[in-house]
Amino acid sequence: DAFLQHIQTIEPDPATDLEGITQNKLASTPNAAEDLKTTEWVISQEPDVIMATRVEDAKVAAALNRYAGQENRRVYIALRAGTTFEALAQWRKLIGDEAKAAKNLRMIITGRVLRKLCAACKAGYTPDPLTLRKLNMDPDKVGKLFQARTQPMRDAKGNPVPCEFCKELYFKGRTGVFEVFYIDDEARAVIEAGGSLNQLK
């Protein structure tokens, strides 16, 4: 479900689940007019912070962008993108004006959840220098990487032994990997000038 959340720190509403935070559920079927109406209502409440989990309409994006330009106001917008540069491209397209898209933009974060290799049964290997360079690792400093094992573990007699830690799943737990792109004055100038993603990279 998509939500518009807003936070008012001056007069928290004790009726909400989290003190001072109000959630406004957006329609399950995307309707630009309804989303804009809900967005404008939330903005009219003058919250300190707005968080939108789905923005697909240019008018909604423009309204949130204008609100973010007010003093002591912050707006967080979620977009589906694989990289910070893909998210930036979507934002620029939604706003439709390079200068307006860049004006109130401060930071872009993308994240992924990855499975962690089982620490008890992961298999080490020696990577080739080309692979390390692709991973931006120094071949002189990194001599070993790890991967999920492809062969069963065996006891002293050669019998297969299951991993008691991961129950033969090869992975145990998850971790987040995040890419952060700070929009400084230099990046903002490139965006305002209609610069390409390669220039920003």
Side-chain angles (χ1 to χ4, degrees):
D1 288 343
F3 292 92
L4 267 173
Q5 298 177 322
H6 63 278
I7 300 173
Q8 291 176 288
T9 57
I10 299 170
E11 297 180 13
D13 181 358
T16 58
D17 293 337
L18 295 171
E19 188 175 330
I21 298 178
T22 304
Q23 286 194 359
N24 301 277
K25 190 172 181 179
L26 299 175
S28 57
T29 55
N31 181 317
E34 288 179 23
D35 284 359
L36 181 60
K37 186 177 178 181
T38 303
T39 301
E40 288 175 339
W41 181 85
V42 168
I43 288 172
S44 74
Q45 304 305 298
E46 299 185 354
D48 300 307
V49 180
I50 296 176
M51 293 173 277
T53 60
R54 183 188 77 214
V55 177
E56 298 171 349
D57 181 67
K59 290 181 180 177
V60 171
L64 292 171
N65 190 40
R66 282 192 301 274
Y67 192 73
Q70 295 184 26
E71 190 176 355
N72 298 323
R73 304 298 189 211
R74 286 179 287 160
V75 177
Y76 298 92
I77 296 173
L79 300 171
R80 287 192 174 273
T83 68
T84 57
F85 297 109
E86 287 177 21
L88 176 58
Q90 286 183 39
W91 180 245
R92 290 165 82 175
K93 185 177 179 181
L94 267 173
I95 297 299
D97 180 292
E98 301 290 4
K100 288 179 181 177
K103 184 178 179 183
N104 302 314
L105 200 55
R106 300 288 176 262
M107 182 190 310
I108 303 171
I109 303 171
T110 54
R112 296 200 177 199
V113 177
L114 302 178
R115 296 181 299 168
K116 293 169 67 175
L117 288 170
C118 174
C121 70
K122 63 185 179 183
Y125 70 98
T126 303
D128 63 88
L130 181 62
T131 299
L132 289 174
R133 279 195 289 276
K134 285 182 180 178
L135 294 171
N136 202 24
M137 295 180 173
D138 185 349
D140 295 329
K141 294 182 180 177
V142 180
K144 191 175 190 181
L145 293 179
F146 294 89
Q147 62 187 3
R149 60 186 166 81
T150 57
Q151 301 294 324
M153 296 190 301
R154 300 189 180 277
D155 62 16
K157 295 181 180 178
N159 299 315
V161 178
C163 177
E164 293 298 323
F165 189 65
C166 70
K167 308 299 182 195
E168 290 299 287
L169 295 174
Y170 310 135
F171 297 92
K172 183 77 172 177
R174 296 183 296 174
T175 189
V177 177
F178 301 91
E179 179 187 8
V180 180
F181 181 22
Y182 291 100
I183 309 297
D184 57 14
D185 291 339
E186 186 180 1
R188 188 168 288 106
V190 173
I191 296 168
E192 288 175 353
S196 69
L197 293 181
N198 283 334
Q199 286 176 279
L200 288 166
K201 288 177 185 178

